[in-house]
Amino acid sequence: MEFGLSHEQQMVVDTVRSFVENELYPLEDEVERSGQVPRALGREIQDKVGELGFYAPNIPEEFGGGGLDSLTFTLLERELGRASMALSVFWGRPSNILCAGDAGQRERYLLPCVRGEKIDALAMSEPDAGSDIRAMKTFARRDGSDYVINGTKHFISHADVADFIITFVATGEEETPSGPKKRLTCFLIDRDTPGFDIRPGYNSVSHRGYHNNILIFDDCRVPASQLLGEEGSGFDLANTWLAATRLTVAATCTGRARRCFDLCVDWAANRRQFGQPIGRFQGISFKLADMITGIDAADWLTLAAAWRLDQELDANRQIAEAKLYASEMLARVTDEAIQIFGGMGLMDDLPIERFWRDARVERIWDGASEIQRHIIARDLLRPLGA
Amino acid sequence: MKILIPIKRVIDFNVRIRVKKDGSGVETANVKMSMNPFCEIAVEEAVRIKEAGKAEEIIAVAIGGRQCQDILRTALAMGADRAILIETDVEVQPLAIAKLLKATIEKESPGLAILGKQAIDGDNNQTGQMLSALLGWSQAAFASNIEFTDTGLEVTREVDGGLETIAIKLPAVVTTDLRLNEPRYVKLPNIMKARKKPLDVMTPQELGVDVAPSIDVLDIAEPPARAAGVKVADVNELVDKLRNEAKVI
């Protein structure tokens, strides 16, 4: 076993961290205050990352991306996770699923994303289809050589800045061992498609400035050339290409927890009460010990899952474990951070309350904790027929 | 022309330094190490000179343990062409470093050596000056600007009274001050290319240099804690204190 990073991996970590600290941290207060990132500022971040050759680091080199392996990309995500998501979203990491497109789709969507000319978003959730994704109601009806889409999606992250949306809709129903389920199909929907509207979403307590949107499809007509993969292949496509995105949640949680933790250690060493640093009290020092133990455990779970992806080993359960553990660890760490900082931890003069707020969504999106536990348990029991 | 850039691996500038309880040194266990920031500026300057077409090859040199390969790889990713590690476990002092660099320069024949003005660990601020004396080369320490002229270099130096501009002939030793440039972020493609660039390892013995320390360190101690400040009632009192107590105006 090898637990160390290569020189190259260490340089990636160092570069991303210093970029995040120098270029993104100084912008965070304004994002929190305004709840917005001006598009020109987003463009500036994209350009800086592009100059570094770090844009689209997850996409294979044959398509012009950085070609990082899963482990190195996960390290990059971990460091990016330190910063506000409203800002880090402009460090383009196009969805890998775009690699599944045909030559024309790669030309029109993947390559412009890699070049930073287009931004993608991904639409799955609906008001009546959250964890039960195959209950979705948005439906595409075949009409000649076109499809006509009707329905509503919500919670669609950064659709406001996206040029097109990778959209999963139902195109029929099929019998499964657990009853009838929707057959899913994936479409690439340009934002200016007639009958398609991207509306502002809800005000979320987490990730201010990183907006969620509501998508309305009202007789939205798209040609069959917008279909990603085969009709009805959406569920398999999602399983093949999107499982790894859960790992990015684990990685970003770990990075953010570490940033929060470092502030706690500093505070515990310098804040004095009863004539001594509060870190001298076991009430505080034991918290720090538990926090770093959780952070390290989440880190190793996450990196080990990424390593399995690189070895082409089955990693489904390990990714679920990492996502589950890291997101729940972040909740504990940020909650304890507020306890360590006391009243000041709740004030928006410090970023602690923000880490705490931002942490909450991590246990919900990209597969809620309950879904991750379901995946893990199913992996254990299904081979035994239970 | 070749440029030689000697670089040093030091405790990262973000780390709060802790002195060991027995006064034998500072705590380095579990501490992040990086390239000395002044050395990063030296690498950046060399890369800019090469990009401007005034140098053909940049050679990065580090002296120390095997771990120093990490800063050499960083220098290669920033734009150095090849690297040399002079491997030793001895804590090498400035004079020995200067002798090792002189021996390396005699092998490699660069026209310019750019060093950080000092390393942020020992803060000795000696190696560059010693190296130029040993080689008999021109010297420009604390550079905040370097221009190429027909006869050599015009270097702006940050000195106590302000800025001093001097003309020197090549070959030369230049040491960098903080404001010479802002080092670049390492680019991803260059990180990957750095892996394929040559990194040679040699020893002080091969260079015929005795690196045994000539200075014994007796004790290392924390600087005294700063006393609390004083509140003054008005500007007149402040001026009075500055003039008569602090004697700075």
Side-chain angles (χ1 to χ4, degrees), chain A residues 166-189:
Chain A
I166 304 160
T167 310
F168 288 82
V169 303
T171 43
E173 223 171 57
E174 64 191 7
E175 276 305 319
T176 73
S178 44
K181 297 273 184 197
K182 297 287 169 52
R183 286 174 63 224
L184 304 187
T185 299
C186 184
F187 288 91
L188 302 169
I189 313 281

Side-chain angles (χ1 to χ4, degrees), chain A residues 235-376:
Chain A
F235 195 65
D236 290 340
L237 267 180
N239 281 335
T240 306
W241 295 95
L242 302 182
T245 66
R246 291 178 173 173
L247 200 53
T248 68
V249 177
T252 51
C253 286
T254 309
R256 203 169 320 124
R258 186 61 206 232
R259 179 179 175 193
C260 179
F261 176 77
D262 289 344
L263 295 173
C264 291
V265 172
D266 200 49
W267 184 260
N270 292 302
R271 162 83 170 163
R272 297 178 75 88
Q273 289 287 274
F274 303 102
Q276 59 179 335
I278 59 171
R280 290 246 174 93
F281 297 106
Q282 284 190 347
I284 301 297
S285 65
F286 280 18
K287 282 190 201 305
L288 294 175
D290 289 343
M291 289 157 83
I292 193 64
T293 304
I295 293 169
D296 284 344
D299 202 24
W300 289 121
L301 272 178
T302 306
L303 297 179
W307 179 86
R308 288 184 70 87
L309 285 174
D310 287 331
Q311 308 307 311
E312 297 181 4
L313 297 169
D314 183 19
N316 207 29
R317 189 187 92 214
Q318 285 78 8
I319 291 171
E321 288 171 4
K323 199 274 177 185
L324 170 68
Y325 187 82
S327 59
E328 300 203 339
M329 173 280 294
L330 180 64
R332 290 193 299 274
V333 164
T334 53
D335 188 70
E336 290 289 37
I338 289 182
Q339 206 62 25
I340 291 169
F341 274 81
M344 270 321 287
L346 287 167
M347 304 302 137
D348 66 4
D349 297 75
L350 296 175
I352 307 294
E353 59 87 27
R354 167 159 64 89
F355 298 147
W356 179 61
R357 279 188 288 109
D358 290 351
R360 192 61 190 88
V361 74
E362 311 292 351
R363 284 182 280 162
I364 296 171
W365 66 11
D366 282 290
S369 286
E370 292 71 20
I371 294 296
Q372 306 307 328
R373 287 192 168 87
H374 168 74
I375 293 169
I376 296 163

